[in-house]
Amino acid sequence: MSMNDKNFKYLTGPFSANNPVIVQILGICSALAVTVQLKPAIVMALSVTVVTAFSNLVMSLLRNGVPSRIRIIIQLVVIAALVILVDQVLKAYVFEISKQLSVYVGLIITNCIVMGRVEAFALANKPWPAFLDGVGNGLGYGLILVIVAFFRELFGSGTLLGYPVIPESWYATEGGWYTNCGLMLFPPMALIIVGCIIWVHRSHNKDLQEK
Amino acid sequence: MSSIRNIVDKIKPTFAKGGKLGFLESTFDAFETFLFVPNTTTRRGAHIRDCNDMKRTMIMVVVALMPALLFGMYNVGYQHFLSQGAAPAFWASFWFGFLKVLPMIVVSYVVGLGIEFGFAQVRGHEVNEGFLVTGLLIPMIMPVDIPLWILGLSTAFAVIFGKEVFGGTGMNVFNPALVARVFAFLAYTPSMSGTKVWIAGLTSGEGVVDGFSGATPLENLVTTGRMGYSTMDAFLGFIPGSVGETSTVAILIGAAILLFTGIASWRTMISVFIGGLAMALVFNVCGSSAYAQIPGWYHLIIGGFAFGAVFMATDPVTSAQTATGQYIVGFLIGVLAVLTRVVNPAYPEGMMLAILFMNAMAPLVDHYVVEASIKRRNKRIKTAK
């Protein structure tokens, strides 16, 4: 249970060089769906982090006892149980946001990152590194979600975390000149923002650029 | 002329590779070839069909746009004075419209060319001339009352996401001017639709005559099933609408210039009109609403139909490349535009969406045209044996 260099890399790798969203292009669907506002995006990020971390941990503990023929079904049971747990907790403590996220909490089950990490990492590694890898990937995914949601909420609704940021007097309805960008509320704009993040990220990480 | 040449030659070494301002090479090159025909010749392969380079081609399109633009300026003033209840004098109207439209053109060019020059510098290639046309098209397909910052933002979006991310001029999938319009339309819908935005000064409502409606013929057709303007007015262009699209006559003059110089494809142009007429005919036969029953040629003279058919659908980059493909793509643009207009009340004008949709389909159409041609020839070889 030590945080040596290797373990540290499992945790931080997915933040940038091995990011699940902008490098592996996984979990795009939910990144488009829940990023209209910052608050649900943050809750979603934390939920996915919890699910990836614990599904990795549990599957890593079970890895020697699970026959490879039936591993997928076992993974699904574990992930589904965790997702239901998260869903119930959200409903109990942040009901409003849970309602906003609607089906997307349940759909964490189908998030490619969760099963991808279990398959690719947890089944071949010890529990502690697997847990760190899960946390790292969840946070790497969450990072992109928060960036996208930041831009979408700021320019689409003029608020951040629900608080108005753009001065009221700027708005055209109040005699100013500004109007919120309606396109930011549509999912396609999230895709364009993800594209921009990839653009910036690749131009800083030359080794990721395709030849 | 020769004095300009001398100056250019004199400062050229400063901008050449290794010179003091060498990093501005592509910017300098852009201005030099703008002023003079470049004397470089193609080295490999013989692809030349004409001595024209892209800059001259684009200038020709700009010339073809002039009648529509000048009439658009006049019409902006004309509609404005009409809404004020004043008699629209010719020069006063033109001057008013000129002052309204000029800032739009300036914003579009400054923003768009600024980004183009930036990309050319960073990527180290020449500045491409495609934006000369796009920069003029964008203000012409926007309502006159659009806030300039929205115009600038749409232009920036179109140049970056419509063109530069695909690799610049000649690589774009979608017509950049229409990308600008669709961006503005979806992002700032209230500034791009309704009955207030098409006439200068109607949004603020100052001095507007009681009961004056700024509704375009398309909006009238959706709400009442009648155009609300005489067909002659619609044909000549004395109707509210986006700046450059109202006058079918002016657009037809532009079309004549484009066809005479061989720049635009007559196949696309003609088949857009035929497609629109055909779809309107189908509606005449089996449509139930009043809108569906209007004569087909009404569709051709109102809204952006003619403008789109002449200047947008024929864009050599985004349209089909094969002759048969041009017939198909053009025809479907006409069909889809009229279909959207009549069936979907949320989009009074379907031309923009129809062209963008067929832009995306054009490579597919081309692919199957080429495949069919290969198949036909293979068959001929087999029977000859």
Side-chain angles (χ1 to χ4, degrees):
Chain A
M1 293 270 266
S2 65
M3 190 61 104
N4 56 25
D5 278 359
K6 210 168 153 198
N7 282 350
F8 188 66
K9 233 186 206 154
Y10 292 142
L11 182 66
T12 57
F15 292 172
S16 168
N18 207 11
N19 190 288
V21 183
I22 60 172
V23 177
Q24 302 170 13
I25 320 292
L26 296 175
I28 291 287
C29 6
S30 57
L32 306 192
V34 300
T35 51
V36 178
Q37 286 181 331
L38 206 44
K39 228 186 268 173
I42 292 171
V43 172
M44 184 70 176
L46 293 177
S47 313
V48 171
T49 307
V50 169
V51 173
T52 38
F54 285 98
S55 63
N56 262 14
L57 179 69
V58 172
M59 284 315 296
S60 176
L61 286 168
L62 292 176
R63 71 187 189 281
N64 293 327
V66 176
S68 106
R69 281 181 293 133
I70 56 160
R71 68 181 195 284
I72 299 281
I73 199 85
I74 306 238
Q75 286 165 16
L76 277 178
V77 170
V78 170
I79 295 168
L82 284 166
V83 169
I84 290 168
L85 224 66
V86 167
D87 192 27
Q88 294 302 316
V89 170
L90 291 186
K91 272 193 185 134
Y93 292 101
V94 279
F95 185 65
E96 281 305 311
I97 294 177
S98 152
K99 249 190 357 196
Q100 257 179 315
L101 286 171
S102 66
V103 295
Y104 291 99
V105 178
L107 284 177
I108 295 176
I109 298 174
T110 62
N111 192 320
C112 336
I113 299 169
V114 182
M115 208 154 169
R117 289 329 290 175
V118 170
E119 275 281 291
F121 196 89
L123 288 179
N125 284 281
K126 291 194 170 135
W128 177 239
F131 180 75
L132 289 179
D133 179 82
V135 173
N137 275 285
L139 291 180
Y141 163 84
L143 186 69
I144 304 302
L145 238 62
V146 168
I147 295 174
V148 175
F150 174 82
F151 286 113
R152 284 182 76 186
E153 187 174 351
L154 180 59
F155 294 113
S157 323
T159 59
L160 281 178
L161 288 168
Y163 299 105
V165 175
I166 289 164
E168 195 76 356
S169 58
W170 282 19
Y171 282 101
T173 45
E174 306 290 324
W177 53 275
Y178 186 77
T179 322
N180 284 328
C181 176
L183 195 58
M184 282 287 174
L185 305 177
F186 296 140
M189 205 58 196
L191 196 62
I192 290 176
I193 296 174
V194 171
C196 290
I197 298 173
I198 293 176
W199 189 356
V200 172
H201 187 248
R202 300 260 158 132
S203 49
H204 280 281
N205 298 274
K206 300 258 187 271
D207 54 316
L208 286 176
Q209 289 175 8
E210 290 89 352
K211 287 280 147 20
Chain B
M1 219 31 163
S2 67
S3 65
I4 301 176
R5 181 76 251 179
N6 285 340
I7 294 171
V8 170
D9 282 342
K10 211 165 135 193
I11 60 171
K12 198 168 186 174
T14 329
F15 290 99
K17 268 207 182 77
K20 223 186 280 173
L21 296 171
F23 64 94
L24 286 173
E25 196 187 358
S26 62
T27 310
F28 177 77
D29 180 77
F31 281 109
E32 194 195 352
T33 48
F34 183 77
L35 292 168
F36 298 100
V37 178
N39 57 1
T40 47
T41 46
T42 311
R43 298 246 172 85
R44 277 180 300 174
H47 301 299
I48 297 179
R49 301 184 206 173
D50 203 318
C51 61
N52 235 346
D53 73 339
M54 190 151 68
K55 236 162 230 162
R56 312 295 129 172
T57 311
M58 292 300 177
I59 297 265
M60 217 53 232
V61 183
V62 171
V63 170
L65 280 167
M66 278 305 137
L69 179 66
L70 293 176
F71 184 86
M73 287 175 173
Y74 168 61
N75 191 44
V76 165
Y78 178 86
Q79 297 292 338
H80 171 75
F81 287 123
L82 220 56
S83 75
Q84 304 276 322
F90 179 78
W91 285 110
S93 299
F94 183 79
W95 185 241
F96 179 88
F98 179 76
L99 291 182
K100 272 275 164 200
V101 177
L102 192 66
M104 295 169 76
I105 300 176
V106 170
V107 166
S108 157
Y109 271 128
V110 168
V111 171
L113 285 178
I115 296 172
E116 289 254 330
F117 276 91
F119 268 97
Q121 285 295 349
V122 171
R123 292 182 174 164
H125 63 63
E126 296 176 38
V127 176
N128 281 313
E129 339 9 58
F131 196 77
L132 282 181
V133 172
T134 313
L136 194 56
L137 282 174
I138 291 174
M140 288 179 78
I141 54 175
M142 294 285 191
V144 63
D145 240 12
I146 190 169
L148 290 178
W149 69 274
I150 295 183
L151 185 77
L153 195 66
S154 314
T155 310
F157 182 88
V159 174
I160 296 173
F161 294 103
K163 203 157 99 174
E164 291 301 338
V165 293
F166 291 105
T169 304
M171 305 291 194
N172 45 313
V173 179
F174 299 105
N175 186 319
L178 282 176
V179 173
R181 196 180 197 280
V182 84
F183 174 82
F185 182 76
L186 293 174
Y188 302 100
T189 317
S191 303
M192 290 293 292
S193 57
T195 57
K196 299 273 185 211
V197 300
W198 310 106
I199 296 175
L202 212 60
T203 328
S204 64
E206 263 172 66
V208 174
V209 185
D210 278 350
F212 182 85
S213 156
T216 62
L218 286 166
E219 281 151 351
N220 281 335
L221 278 166
V222 170
T223 47
T224 65
R226 277 208 312 269
M227 203 150 60
Y229 297 87
S230 75
T231 48
M232 203 57 199
D233 274 357
F235 182 66
L236 292 176
F238 293 101
I239 48 173
S242 298
V243 173
E245 67 169 25
T246 56
S247 171
T248 313
V249 177
I251 292 164
L252 286 179
I253 297 172
I257 296 173
L258 286 183
L259 293 179
F260 179 73
T261 51
I263 286 168
S265 151
W266 59 269
R267 295 186 184 87
T268 316
M269 230 185 260
I270 297 278
S271 47
V272 174
F273 286 117
I274 294 174
L277 282 176
M279 193 65 215
L281 201 67
V282 171
F283 276 124
N284 285 347
V285 173
C286 62
S288 52
S289 68
Y291 197 167
Q293 292 303 328
I294 63 168
W297 51 273
Y298 274 26
H299 280 291
L300 311 190
I301 58 172
I302 57 174
F305 196 97
F307 193 84
V310 172
F311 295 108
M312 304 281 188
T314 55
D315 175 359
V317 177
T318 55
S319 182
Q321 308 294 324
T322 55
T324 321
Q326 287 170 351
Y327 285 123
I328 299 170
V329 166
F331 186 80
L332 288 176
I333 287 176
V335 166
L336 287 172
V338 173
L339 183 72
T340 319
R341 277 181 178 186
V342 176
V343 177
N344 189 345
Y347 295 103
E349 177 56 300
M351 199 59 186
M352 165 178 77
L353 301 169
I355 296 175
L356 284 173
F357 184 72
M358 288 317 293
N359 279 171
M361 292 295 141
L364 185 74
V365 172
D366 271 343
H367 172 79
Y368 281 112
V369 168
V370 171
E371 288 289 305
S373 169
I374 291 171
K375 216 176 260 173
R376 201 177 55 242
R377 284 170 169 228
N378 274 342
K379 219 183 206 168
R380 203 187 300 157
I381 292 172
K382 269 180 202 143
T383 47
K385 274 179 191 169

